[in-house]
Amino acid sequence: MSTTIARAAPGGPARPAPAVAMPVALSTSIRSPLRDSLRRFFASGTAVLGLAVVLVFVLMAIGAPWITPYGADQQLLTDRLKAPSAAHLFGTDDLGRDVLSRVVFGSQISLRVGIFAVALSLVTGSVLGLIAGYAGGWLDGLFMRGMDIVLAFPATLMAIGIVAMRGPGLEMALVAIGIVNIPTYARLARSMALSLRERDFVIAARCLGASGPRLVGRHILPNSLSPLIVQATLGIATAIIEAAGLGFLGLGAQPPTPEWGLMLTNGRAFLLNAPWAMIFPGLAILLTTLAFNLVGDGVRDALDPSMRG
Amino acid sequence: MLRYALRRVLALVPVLIGVSVIVFLFLHLIPGDSATAILGEHATPDAIVQLRAAYGLDQPWPTQYVIFVGHILHGDLGKSIRSNVPVTSELSQRLPATAELSAVALLFALVVGMPAGIISAWRRGSVFDHASVVGALTGVSMPIFWLGLMLAWLFGVELKLLPFSARLDTGARFTPITNLLLVDAVLRADWPILGQTIRHLLLPALALSTVPMAIVMRMTRGAMIEVLHQDYVRTARAKGLRDRVVVGGHAFRNALLPVVTIVGLQVGALLSGAILTETIFSWPGIGRWVYESIQLRDYPVVQSMTLVIAVIFVVTNLLVDLSYAWLDPRVRYR
């Protein structure tokens, strides 16, 4: 949107803009921050490339039942460990299952785990962090000590520990990955709340009688969203790798689920004579995480250009 | 500095207590009866009673926790349910293997990551810079378990250039001293064993170093870009100092601080990554031990190893904090 405005004379009220633009009139584009961010995001070739790859995987996940040449668990026992060919573009595994079809179906699982695990960490971490940062005092102290303790464990190790104890499974892996990443979001939200609670607009709202929950929900949260969104986008990539790692260790999805990490474990046994059974699921993990990282970097640069590398 | 160090060490106490509580609760995360889960459904009632008594599982939780901490403070990490061997004795065999692998991986990460970061920042916008940035992004996105498999397949199976399992060739005769084979081979002046050790280390260390390497590169590049815009760098250049002296002597020293922090944090990534890497390369370290114990439902070992790794991680972070304060005196007064 473009508009012509007249500057108020010093000490005097603003006058309406004349119908005919003065030669010295200031022409200013009033843009929304969202539109600016979107423009910056789409100006970045790598971010758009990342988004395109993510969209391809999303479409693959949605359309898997219709676009795959074979079922995820369909066994062609006469075609076991077949090298890539026109009939099986990515070859087949030891049970004669089409690797391409399983990789495509696997995108459903990886995207689901990535998105839901991040949603769990994002929502829980943000609520905890915002409350602690806004409340301050002993609540904040308690929160920080709690986070220090959880952060004393490397995240992947903690996830492995939780799933090892609770029993393997995709849902448990999802929950464990969600739990171990809570501190990242909580600390981020807390630091935002700490800085925002001293800002004029929050103080003004407090003076007008806004309650604590309203201040946090209506004023602090919306202004904390940018770094949280950036972290969440990058977090999806991490969650996908962690889930595949748990699957690889036999702690995530269980056979015959076409989960990429689990496919790698199965393919590992045939490293010598059928490397394709692990090359393609691994490439799928790499491509997805790379794409989400590209999108994450793009979102970060778009929302906060000062962070651009 | 001493006061700062003391303060930091004291701050560690509540964290370590919290860590011990979480690790203690690990056994109680097991659904159903822990003793039955540990021993299996076919365990005799006597065995279950004995196990409950040995681990204090028949006591109230607070008592169990006190017993648990008491054992740890006496250096008793329990026994493996499967092998009946004390965890500490197995740990002394396996920890050096993981330490050696992690140290070499970290060395790779620093030797490649730091110069790449410096050159990228120095020649910002160049082909090298773009290639490094893409390489680093690929590195942080890399599933290291897949990379490990690919390296094993390519260099081990296809090209037959490097071994891809164990620490020494099958049939190699060598009596270790510290179980750090690189050190032991030098101490015993056994050069063929040193060669074997290096060859066996290359692939797993390379796989394990990928993510830290990428992170070190990104961090060094970012820190250098910031420092290269500082006034004192401009002054040094204005004085007519050569670019190499300015970048290497003036800028890099000051860019090193954030890099030190990130290197410390990589220890956690290396220890977690070791579980996957050691599993792929049959490396007899604590990572593989954790994996095997999970498969065998040897819960006390999983519990103890989680504690050991967390403590190593926490202590490393403390050392990084202290080194940071030593390198930058301003940190001590914050």
Side-chain angles (χ1 to χ4, degrees):
Chain A
M1 187 171 80
S2 182
T3 180
T4 308
I5 58 166
R7 203 177 244 173
R15 285 174 298 179
V20 180
M22 304 271 289
V24 290
L26 291 173
S27 180
T28 308
S29 288
I30 299 174
R31 305 192 196 104
S32 76
L34 177 66
R35 194 175 295 177
D36 269 357
S37 300
L38 284 173
R39 188 179 48 78
R40 279 194 294 266
F41 180 86
F42 284 104
S44 160
T46 51
V48 172
L49 177 69
L51 185 64
V53 176
V54 168
L55 287 176
V56 167
F57 274 101
V58 171
L59 291 176
M60 264 168 54
I62 296 169
W66 300 283
I67 62 172
T68 49
Y70 303 92
D73 302 327
Q74 190 180 342
Q75 298 182 15
L76 305 161
L77 293 175
T78 50
D79 283 348
R80 290 163 59 185
L81 297 176
K82 288 276 186 218
S85 63
H88 302 284
L89 287 178
F90 289 0
T92 61
D93 66 9
D94 58 310
L95 294 174
R97 293 173 297 192
D98 183 56
V99 175
L100 171 63
S101 303
R102 289 178 68 74
V103 166
V104 173
F105 273 101
S107 60
Q108 292 179 337
I109 296 163
S110 288
L111 289 179
R112 182 157 58 97
V113 173
I115 291 166
F116 281 100
V118 166
L120 176 65
S121 329
L122 176 68
V123 172
T124 317
S126 302
V127 170
L128 287 174
L130 288 173
I131 292 172
Y134 178 75
W138 66 269
L139 195 64
D140 186 37
L142 188 72
F143 163 81
M144 282 303 285
R145 297 293 81 77
M147 289 301 117
D148 283 349
I149 291 164
V150 179
L151 286 170
F153 297 89
T156 311
L157 173 78
M158 185 80 158
I160 288 172
I162 293 172
V163 183
M165 294 297 172
R166 288 298 298 175
L170 190 62
E171 303 308 318
M172 187 42 67
L174 187 156
V175 172
I177 293 166
I179 290 173
V180 300
N181 289 312
I182 286 174
T184 310
Y185 298 89
R187 282 163 71 111
L188 197 58
R190 174 185 172 269
S191 69
M192 290 304 294
L194 275 177
S195 81
L196 287 169
R197 72 177 186 181
E198 306 301 335
R199 295 277 292 272
D200 289 345
F201 68 92
V202 176
I203 295 170
R206 195 184 301 138
C207 291
L208 287 170
S211 63
R214 186 179 171 83
L215 282 174
V216 172
R218 292 294 297 271
H219 299 282
I220 294 179
L221 175 63
N223 288 289
S224 310
L225 280 179
S226 294
L228 288 170
I229 290 170
V230 173
Q231 185 58 46
T233 319
L234 295 169
I236 293 175
T238 314
I240 288 174
I241 289 193
E242 283 170 346
L246 288 174
F248 181 73
L249 291 173
L251 294 171
Q254 297 298 300
T257 316
E259 195 271 331
W260 293 336
L262 186 61
M263 289 170 73
L264 283 180
T265 307
N266 296 340
R268 190 180 156 213
F270 304 95
L271 183 73
L272 298 178
N273 48 358
W276 52 86
M278 49 166 215
I279 289 177
F280 295 107
L283 270 179
I285 303 172
L286 176 63
L287 267 179
T288 330
T289 49
L290 191 59
F292 273 107
N293 276 328
L294 284 173
V295 173
D297 282 355
V299 172
R300 182 199 59 203
D301 293 345
L303 293 175
D304 184 1
S306 66
M307 293 289 290
R308 191 169 298 167
Chain B
M1 180 70 199
L2 194 68
R3 270 186 65 184
Y4 175 80
L6 205 65
R7 215 170 61 220
R8 292 290 294 113
V9 171
L10 282 177
L12 208 62
V13 175
V15 173
L16 287 176
I17 293 173
V19 165
S20 69
V21 171
I22 290 185
V23 172
F24 163 75
L25 290 174
F26 257 34
L27 267 192
H28 297 277
L29 278 178
I30 302 170
D33 177 50
S34 311
T36 313
I38 290 170
L39 291 175
E41 285 173 12
H42 304 296
T44 61
D46 279 354
I48 289 177
V49 170
Q50 273 179 15
L51 183 87
R52 283 207 183 113
Y55 284 87
L57 294 174
D58 48 357
Q59 305 285 327
W61 279 27
T63 316
Q64 285 184 39
Y65 175 70
V66 172
I67 294 171
F68 173 72
V69 173
H71 283 159
I72 292 170
L73 293 177
H74 285 93
D76 176 9
L77 290 173
K79 276 184 181 177
S80 159
I81 299 275
R82 303 295 158 193
S83 63
N84 211 30
V85 173
V87 169
T88 41
S89 94
E90 184 91 19
L91 183 66
S92 64
Q93 298 293 310
R94 288 179 177 264
L95 190 58
T98 301
E100 192 167 70
L101 177 61
S102 303
V104 175
L106 193 58
L107 186 73
F108 282 178
L110 294 177
V111 167
V112 178
M114 277 172 43
I118 293 169
I119 298 170
S120 264
W122 186 17
R123 299 276 178 246
R124 200 175 174 196
S126 66
V127 175
F128 181 87
D129 181 31
H130 288 305
S132 299
V133 169
V134 171
L137 192 66
T138 311
V140 293
S141 310
M142 184 67 75
I144 58 163
F145 41 99
W146 179 67
L147 179 69
L149 287 170
M150 289 290 100
L151 290 173
W153 170 65
L154 186 64
F155 293 100
V157 177
E158 290 295 313
L159 302 174
K160 295 187 172 50
L161 283 176
L162 290 166
F164 58 95
S165 94
R167 296 178 79 188
L168 289 172
D169 292 348
T170 317
R173 286 189 178 178
F174 184 67
T175 315
I177 305 166
T178 61
N179 228 7
L180 294 164
L181 294 187
L182 286 175
V183 176
D184 294 349
V186 173
L187 288 177
R188 291 199 187 280
D190 193 335
W191 310 123
I193 288 292
L194 182 66
Q196 266 190 45
T197 308
I198 293 172
R199 280 162 45 81
H200 278 261
L201 262 168
L202 280 176
L203 291 182
L206 189 60
L208 190 56
S209 71
T210 317
V211 176
M213 192 187 289
I215 292 173
V216 167
M217 184 270 155
R218 289 173 85 158
M219 199 67 202
T220 310
R221 180 179 178 272
M224 282 294 287
I225 285 173
E226 203 176 319
V227 168
L228 285 172
H229 284 100
Q230 299 287 321
D231 288 343
Y232 65 85
V233 171
R234 200 173 302 127
T235 308
R237 280 197 171 125
K239 270 167 56 186
L241 288 179
R242 277 181 303 157
D243 226 21
R244 196 171 295 175
V245 177
V246 175
V247 173
H250 292 69
F252 178 61
R253 249 184 237 178
N254 290 289
L256 198 61
L257 287 169
V259 179
V260 169
T261 312
I262 210 75
V263 167
L265 290 173
Q266 292 319 302
V267 171
L270 288 171
L271 291 171
S272 301
I275 299 176
L276 294 157
T277 315
E278 291 181 2
T279 302
I280 293 162
F281 292 98
S282 305
W283 195 261
I286 54 173
R288 185 173 163 80
W289 193 22
V290 170
Y291 172 73
E292 288 167 350
S293 304
I294 290 169
Q295 302 298 317
L296 295 169
R297 298 170 74 88
D298 199 344
Y299 295 112
V301 174
V302 179
Q303 191 187 33
S304 304
M305 284 306 98
T306 309
L307 180 70
V308 169
I309 294 175
V311 170
I312 293 174
F313 189 43
V314 169
V315 172
T316 314
N317 282 342
L318 171 74
L319 293 176
V320 168
D321 276 1
L322 294 181
S323 68
Y324 201 86
W326 179 63
L327 288 167
D328 184 356
R330 288 171 303 180
V331 173
R332 293 175 227 160
Y333 303 107
R334 265 175 214 161

PDB file of all heavy atoms in Angstrom, chain B residues 168-195:
ATOM      1  N   LEU B 168      41.008 -52.783  16.657  1.00  0.00           N
ATOM      2  CA  LEU B 168      42.226 -53.358  16.075  1.00  0.00           C
ATOM      3  C   LEU B 168      41.818 -54.473  15.127  1.00  0.00           C
ATOM      4  O   LEU B 168      40.690 -54.975  15.186  1.00  0.00           O
ATOM      5  CB  LEU B 168      43.124 -53.935  17.171  1.00  0.00           C
ATOM      6  CG  LEU B 168      43.830 -52.947  18.111  1.00  0.00           C
ATOM      7  CD1 LEU B 168      44.508 -53.699  19.244  1.00  0.00           C
ATOM      8  CD2 LEU B 168      44.838 -52.080  17.370  1.00  0.00           C
ATOM      9  N   ASP B 169      42.750 -54.882  14.262  1.00  0.00           N
ATOM     10  CA  ASP B 169      42.454 -55.980  13.348  1.00  0.00           C
ATOM     11  C   ASP B 169      42.189 -57.263  14.137  1.00  0.00           C
ATOM     12  O   ASP B 169      42.710 -57.433  15.241  1.00  0.00           O
ATOM     13  CB  ASP B 169      43.654 -56.235  12.418  1.00  0.00           C
ATOM     14  CG  ASP B 169      43.856 -55.085  11.443  1.00  0.00           C
ATOM     15  OD1 ASP B 169      42.954 -54.237  11.353  1.00  0.00           O
ATOM     16  OD2 ASP B 169      44.920 -55.048  10.798  1.00  0.00           O
ATOM     17  N   THR B 170      41.410 -58.154  13.528  1.00  0.00           N
ATOM     18  CA  THR B 170      41.152 -59.445  14.186  1.00  0.00           C
ATOM     19  C   THR B 170      42.488 -60.184  14.345  1.00  0.00           C
ATOM     20  O   THR B 170      43.286 -60.238  13.412  1.00  0.00           O
ATOM     21  CB  THR B 170      40.206 -60.292  13.315  1.00  0.00           C
ATOM     22  OG1 THR B 170      39.171 -59.442  12.839  1.00  0.00           O
ATOM     23  CG2 THR B 170      39.600 -61.444  14.103  1.00  0.00           C
ATOM     24  N   GLY B 171      42.716 -60.695  15.530  1.00  0.00           N
ATOM     25  CA  GLY B 171      43.931 -61.465  15.766  1.00  0.00           C
ATOM     26  C   GLY B 171      45.127 -60.625  16.200  1.00  0.00           C
ATOM     27  O   GLY B 171      46.203 -61.177  16.460  1.00  0.00           O
ATOM     28  N   ALA B 172      44.938 -59.285  16.261  1.00  0.00           N
ATOM     29  CA  ALA B 172      46.059 -58.433  16.694  1.00  0.00           C
ATOM     30  C   ALA B 172      46.376 -58.714  18.157  1.00  0.00           C
ATOM     31  O   ALA B 172      45.464 -58.854  18.977  1.00  0.00           O
ATOM     32  CB  ALA B 172      45.683 -56.972  16.511  1.00  0.00           C
ATOM     33  N   ARG B 173      47.647 -58.810  18.463  1.00  0.00           N
ATOM     34  CA  ARG B 173      48.054 -59.080  19.849  1.00  0.00           C
ATOM     35  C   ARG B 173      48.643 -57.814  20.455  1.00  0.00           C
ATOM     36  O   ARG B 173      49.660 -57.317  19.986  1.00  0.00           O
ATOM     37  CB  ARG B 173      49.096 -60.192  19.881  1.00  0.00           C
ATOM     38  CG  ARG B 173      48.498 -61.542  19.615  1.00  0.00           C
ATOM     39  CD  ARG B 173      49.516 -62.605  19.866  1.00  0.00           C
ATOM     40  NE  ARG B 173      48.946 -63.918  19.648  1.00  0.00           N
ATOM     41  CZ  ARG B 173      49.645 -65.023  19.764  1.00  0.00           C
ATOM     42  NH1 ARG B 173      50.920 -64.967  20.114  1.00  0.00           N
ATOM     43  NH2 ARG B 173      49.086 -66.196  19.554  1.00  0.00           N
ATOM     44  N   PHE B 174      47.958 -57.338  21.475  1.00  0.00           N
ATOM     45  CA  PHE B 174      48.446 -56.113  22.111  1.00  0.00           C
ATOM     46  C   PHE B 174      47.856 -56.041  23.516  1.00  0.00           C
ATOM     47  O   PHE B 174      46.663 -56.241  23.709  1.00  0.00           O
ATOM     48  CB  PHE B 174      48.008 -54.888  21.297  1.00  0.00           C
ATOM     49  CG  PHE B 174      48.538 -53.593  21.834  1.00  0.00           C
ATOM     50  CD1 PHE B 174      49.896 -53.313  21.794  1.00  0.00           C
ATOM     51  CD2 PHE B 174      47.680 -52.651  22.386  1.00  0.00           C
ATOM     52  CE1 PHE B 174      50.388 -52.106  22.295  1.00  0.00           C
ATOM     53  CE2 PHE B 174      48.154 -51.456  22.878  1.00  0.00           C
ATOM     54  CZ  PHE B 174      49.513 -51.188  22.825  1.00  0.00           C
ATOM     55  N   THR B 175      48.708 -55.781  24.495  1.00  0.00           N
ATOM     56  CA  THR B 175      48.216 -55.629  25.866  1.00  0.00           C
ATOM     57  C   THR B 175      48.192 -54.144  26.202  1.00  0.00           C
ATOM     58  O   THR B 175      49.245 -53.510  26.322  1.00  0.00           O
ATOM     59  CB  THR B 175      49.144 -56.364  26.865  1.00  0.00           C
ATOM     60  OG1 THR B 175      49.437 -57.641  26.324  1.00  0.00           O
ATOM     61  CG2 THR B 175      48.496 -56.473  28.229  1.00  0.00           C
ATOM     62  N   PRO B 176      46.985 -53.575  26.312  1.00  0.00           N
ATOM     63  CA  PRO B 176      46.912 -52.134  26.571  1.00  0.00           C
ATOM     64  C   PRO B 176      47.340 -51.778  28.001  1.00  0.00           C
ATOM     65  O   PRO B 176      47.305 -52.637  28.896  1.00  0.00           O
ATOM     66  CB  PRO B 176      45.445 -51.800  26.352  1.00  0.00           C
ATOM     67  CG  PRO B 176      44.747 -53.055  26.067  1.00  0.00           C
ATOM     68  CD  PRO B 176      45.668 -54.193  26.231  1.00  0.00           C
ATOM     69  N   ILE B 177      47.706 -50.536  28.192  1.00  0.00           N
ATOM     70  CA  ILE B 177      48.057 -50.057  29.539  1.00  0.00           C
ATOM     71  C   ILE B 177      46.902 -49.195  30.068  1.00  0.00           C
ATOM     72  O   ILE B 177      46.313 -49.487  31.097  1.00  0.00           O
ATOM     73  CB  ILE B 177      49.358 -49.220  29.494  1.00  0.00           C
ATOM     74  CG1 ILE B 177      50.484 -50.026  28.841  1.00  0.00           C
ATOM     75  CG2 ILE B 177      49.757 -48.782  30.913  1.00  0.00           C
ATOM     76  CD1 ILE B 177      51.693 -49.202  28.456  1.00  0.00           C
ATOM     77  N   THR B 178      46.594 -48.139  29.306  1.00  0.00           N
ATOM     78  CA  THR B 178      45.521 -47.231  29.737  1.00  0.00           C
ATOM     79  C   THR B 178      44.217 -47.519  29.001  1.00  0.00           C
ATOM     80  O   THR B 178      43.187 -46.959  29.339  1.00  0.00           O
ATOM     81  CB  THR B 178      45.907 -45.779  29.419  1.00  0.00           C
ATOM     82  OG1 THR B 178      46.078 -45.678  27.994  1.00  0.00           O
ATOM     83  CG2 THR B 178      47.180 -45.367  30.118  1.00  0.00           C
ATOM     84  N   ASN B 179      44.295 -48.355  28.000  1.00  0.00           N
ATOM     85  CA  ASN B 179      43.176 -48.643  27.088  1.00  0.00           C
ATOM     86  C   ASN B 179      42.895 -47.497  26.118  1.00  0.00           C
ATOM     87  O   ASN B 179      41.939 -47.554  25.360  1.00  0.00           O
ATOM     88  CB  ASN B 179      41.903 -49.031  27.842  1.00  0.00           C
ATOM     89  CG  ASN B 179      41.291 -50.280  27.253  1.00  0.00           C
ATOM     90  OD1 ASN B 179      41.880 -50.917  26.377  1.00  0.00           O
ATOM     91  ND2 ASN B 179      40.103 -50.621  27.707  1.00  0.00           N
ATOM     92  N   LEU B 180      43.712 -46.457  26.197  1.00  0.00           N
ATOM     93  CA  LEU B 180      43.713 -45.452  25.130  1.00  0.00           C
ATOM     94  C   LEU B 180      44.770 -45.963  24.149  1.00  0.00           C
ATOM     95  O   LEU B 180      45.968 -45.805  24.388  1.00  0.00           O
ATOM     96  CB  LEU B 180      44.105 -44.077  25.665  1.00  0.00           C
ATOM     97  CG  LEU B 180      43.154 -43.411  26.654  1.00  0.00           C
ATOM     98  CD1 LEU B 180      43.822 -42.265  27.376  1.00  0.00           C
ATOM     99  CD2 LEU B 180      41.906 -42.914  25.920  1.00  0.00           C
ATOM    100  N   LEU B 181      44.329 -46.621  23.102  1.00  0.00           N
ATOM    101  CA  LEU B 181      45.275 -47.367  22.274  1.00  0.00           C
ATOM    102  C   LEU B 181      46.326 -46.492  21.591  1.00  0.00           C
ATOM    103  O   LEU B 181      47.468 -46.926  21.414  1.00  0.00           O
ATOM    104  CB  LEU B 181      44.522 -48.199  21.232  1.00  0.00           C
ATOM    105  CG  LEU B 181      43.660 -49.341  21.795  1.00  0.00           C
ATOM    106  CD1 LEU B 181      43.120 -50.194  20.660  1.00  0.00           C
ATOM    107  CD2 LEU B 181      44.441 -50.209  22.766  1.00  0.00           C
ATOM    108  N   LEU B 182      45.938 -45.258  21.237  1.00  0.00           N
ATOM    109  CA  LEU B 182      46.923 -44.368  20.611  1.00  0.00           C
ATOM    110  C   LEU B 182      48.078 -44.111  21.577  1.00  0.00           C
ATOM    111  O   LEU B 182      49.252 -44.165  21.211  1.00  0.00           O
ATOM    112  CB  LEU B 182      46.274 -43.036  20.229  1.00  0.00           C
ATOM    113  CG  LEU B 182      45.343 -43.028  19.020  1.00  0.00           C
ATOM    114  CD1 LEU B 182      44.693 -41.661  18.864  1.00  0.00           C
ATOM    115  CD2 LEU B 182      46.098 -43.381  17.746  1.00  0.00           C
ATOM    116  N   VAL B 183      47.719 -43.859  22.827  1.00  0.00           N
ATOM    117  CA  VAL B 183      48.722 -43.588  23.868  1.00  0.00           C
ATOM    118  C   VAL B 183      49.521 -44.857  24.156  1.00  0.00           C
ATOM    119  O   VAL B 183      50.757 -44.836  24.208  1.00  0.00           O
ATOM    120  CB  VAL B 183      48.020 -43.079  25.159  1.00  0.00           C
ATOM    121  CG1 VAL B 183      49.031 -42.872  26.286  1.00  0.00           C
ATOM    122  CG2 VAL B 183      47.254 -41.809  24.875  1.00  0.00           C
ATOM    123  N   ASP B 184      48.800 -45.958  24.314  1.00  0.00           N
ATOM    124  CA  ASP B 184      49.465 -47.219  24.670  1.00  0.00           C
ATOM    125  C   ASP B 184      50.448 -47.674  23.593  1.00  0.00           C
ATOM    126  O   ASP B 184      51.545 -48.149  23.908  1.00  0.00           O
ATOM    127  CB  ASP B 184      48.418 -48.319  24.902  1.00  0.00           C
ATOM    128  CG  ASP B 184      47.567 -48.021  26.120  1.00  0.00           C
ATOM    129  OD1 ASP B 184      47.947 -47.094  26.875  1.00  0.00           O
ATOM    130  OD2 ASP B 184      46.539 -48.679  26.318  1.00  0.00           O
ATOM    131  N   ALA B 185      50.045 -47.510  22.328  1.00  0.00           N
ATOM    132  CA  ALA B 185      50.930 -47.936  21.234  1.00  0.00           C
ATOM    133  C   ALA B 185      52.222 -47.127  21.250  1.00  0.00           C
ATOM    134  O   ALA B 185      53.306 -47.663  21.021  1.00  0.00           O
ATOM    135  CB  ALA B 185      50.215 -47.779  19.899  1.00  0.00           C
ATOM    136  N   VAL B 186      52.084 -45.828  21.565  1.00  0.00           N
ATOM    137  CA  VAL B 186      53.285 -44.980  21.640  1.00  0.00           C
ATOM    138  C   VAL B 186      54.125 -45.391  22.849  1.00  0.00           C
ATOM    139  O   VAL B 186      55.350 -45.527  22.757  1.00  0.00           O
ATOM    140  CB  VAL B 186      52.885 -43.485  21.717  1.00  0.00           C
ATOM    141  CG1 VAL B 186      54.105 -42.605  21.973  1.00  0.00           C
ATOM    142  CG2 VAL B 186      52.194 -43.066  20.429  1.00  0.00           C
ATOM    143  N   LEU B 187      53.455 -45.609  23.984  1.00  0.00           N
ATOM    144  CA  LEU B 187      54.190 -45.985  25.204  1.00  0.00           C
ATOM    145  C   LEU B 187      54.966 -47.283  25.005  1.00  0.00           C
ATOM    146  O   LEU B 187      56.077 -47.440  25.497  1.00  0.00           O
ATOM    147  CB  LEU B 187      53.218 -46.150  26.386  1.00  0.00           C
ATOM    148  CG  LEU B 187      52.622 -44.857  26.958  1.00  0.00           C
ATOM    149  CD1 LEU B 187      51.626 -45.177  28.066  1.00  0.00           C
ATOM    150  CD2 LEU B 187      53.708 -43.939  27.489  1.00  0.00           C
ATOM    151  N   ARG B 188      54.355 -48.208  24.284  1.00  0.00           N
ATOM    152  CA  ARG B 188      55.014 -49.496  24.052  1.00  0.00           C
ATOM    153  C   ARG B 188      55.872 -49.477  22.775  1.00  0.00           C
ATOM    154  O   ARG B 188      56.431 -50.512  22.410  1.00  0.00           O
ATOM    155  CB  ARG B 188      53.976 -50.607  23.931  1.00  0.00           C
ATOM    156  CG  ARG B 188      53.255 -50.928  25.242  1.00  0.00           C
ATOM    157  CD  ARG B 188      52.602 -52.281  25.179  1.00  0.00           C
ATOM    158  NE  ARG B 188      51.775 -52.551  26.348  1.00  0.00           N
ATOM    159  CZ  ARG B 188      52.242 -52.949  27.518  1.00  0.00           C
ATOM    160  NH1 ARG B 188      53.538 -53.111  27.691  1.00  0.00           N
ATOM    161  NH2 ARG B 188      51.415 -53.188  28.524  1.00  0.00           N
ATOM    162  N   ALA B 189      55.897 -48.311  22.127  1.00  0.00           N
ATOM    163  CA  ALA B 189      56.651 -48.154  20.874  1.00  0.00           C
ATOM    164  C   ALA B 189      56.278 -49.244  19.864  1.00  0.00           C
ATOM    165  O   ALA B 189      57.126 -49.775  19.152  1.00  0.00           O
ATOM    166  CB  ALA B 189      58.153 -48.155  21.137  1.00  0.00           C
ATOM    167  N   ASP B 190      54.984 -49.563  19.828  1.00  0.00           N
ATOM    168  CA  ASP B 190      54.493 -50.587  18.906  1.00  0.00           C
ATOM    169  C   ASP B 190      53.870 -49.879  17.691  1.00  0.00           C
ATOM    170  O   ASP B 190      52.668 -49.583  17.675  1.00  0.00           O
ATOM    171  CB  ASP B 190      53.450 -51.461  19.635  1.00  0.00           C
ATOM    172  CG  ASP B 190      53.133 -52.728  18.861  1.00  0.00           C
ATOM    173  OD1 ASP B 190      53.321 -52.718  17.633  1.00  0.00           O
ATOM    174  OD2 ASP B 190      52.696 -53.718  19.484  1.00  0.00           O
ATOM    175  N   TRP B 191      54.701 -49.587  16.707  1.00  0.00           N
ATOM    176  CA  TRP B 191      54.245 -48.757  15.592  1.00  0.00           C
ATOM    177  C   TRP B 191      53.216 -49.454  14.704  1.00  0.00           C
ATOM    178  O   TRP B 191      52.283 -48.790  14.214  1.00  0.00           O
ATOM    179  CB  TRP B 191      55.435 -48.247  14.790  1.00  0.00           C
ATOM    180  CG  TRP B 191      56.472 -47.632  15.700  1.00  0.00           C
ATOM    181  CD1 TRP B 191      57.770 -47.981  15.811  1.00  0.00           C
ATOM    182  CD2 TRP B 191      56.270 -46.602  16.692  1.00  0.00           C
ATOM    183  NE1 TRP B 191      58.405 -47.252  16.789  1.00  0.00           N
ATOM    184  CE2 TRP B 191      57.503 -46.386  17.351  1.00  0.00           C
ATOM    185  CE3 TRP B 191      55.180 -45.845  17.105  1.00  0.00           C
ATOM    186  CZ2 TRP B 191      57.674 -45.467  18.376  1.00  0.00           C
ATOM    187  CZ3 TRP B 191      55.341 -44.919  18.128  1.00  0.00           C
ATOM    188  CH2 TRP B 191      56.571 -44.731  18.745  1.00  0.00           C
ATOM    189  N   PRO B 192      53.340 -50.764  14.451  1.00  0.00           N
ATOM    190  CA  PRO B 192      52.268 -51.395  13.657  1.00  0.00           C
ATOM    191  C   PRO B 192      50.897 -51.259  14.335  1.00  0.00           C
ATOM    192  O   PRO B 192      49.885 -51.033  13.667  1.00  0.00           O
ATOM    193  CB  PRO B 192      52.705 -52.867  13.579  1.00  0.00           C
ATOM    194  CG  PRO B 192      54.178 -52.844  13.797  1.00  0.00           C
ATOM    195  CD  PRO B 192      54.441 -51.710  14.714  1.00  0.00           C
ATOM    196  N   ILE B 193      50.878 -51.388  15.662  1.00  0.00           N
ATOM    197  CA  ILE B 193      49.605 -51.247  16.379  1.00  0.00           C
ATOM    198  C   ILE B 193      49.119 -49.796  16.302  1.00  0.00           C
ATOM    199  O   ILE B 193      47.916 -49.542  16.155  1.00  0.00           O
ATOM    200  CB  ILE B 193      49.768 -51.691  17.867  1.00  0.00           C
ATOM    201  CG1 ILE B 193      49.909 -53.207  17.950  1.00  0.00           C
ATOM    202  CG2 ILE B 193      48.593 -51.210  18.723  1.00  0.00           C
ATOM    203  CD1 ILE B 193      48.660 -53.996  17.585  1.00  0.00           C
ATOM    204  N   LEU B 194      50.050 -48.860  16.357  1.00  0.00           N
ATOM    205  CA  LEU B 194      49.657 -47.448  16.232  1.00  0.00           C
ATOM    206  C   LEU B 194      48.992 -47.220  14.869  1.00  0.00           C
ATOM    207  O   LEU B 194      47.937 -46.569  14.783  1.00  0.00           O
ATOM    208  CB  LEU B 194      50.884 -46.542  16.391  1.00  0.00           C
ATOM    209  CG  LEU B 194      50.593 -45.039  16.318  1.00  0.00           C
ATOM    210  CD1 LEU B 194      49.737 -44.580  17.494  1.00  0.00           C
ATOM    211  CD2 LEU B 194      51.881 -44.227  16.273  1.00  0.00           C
ATOM    212  N   GLY B 195      49.594 -47.790  13.838  1.00  0.00           N
ATOM    213  CA  GLY B 195      49.027 -47.669  12.490  1.00  0.00           C
ATOM    214  C   GLY B 195      47.641 -48.279  12.414  1.00  0.00           C
ATOM    215  O   GLY B 195      46.708 -47.670  11.881  1.00  0.00           O
TER     216      GLY B 195
END
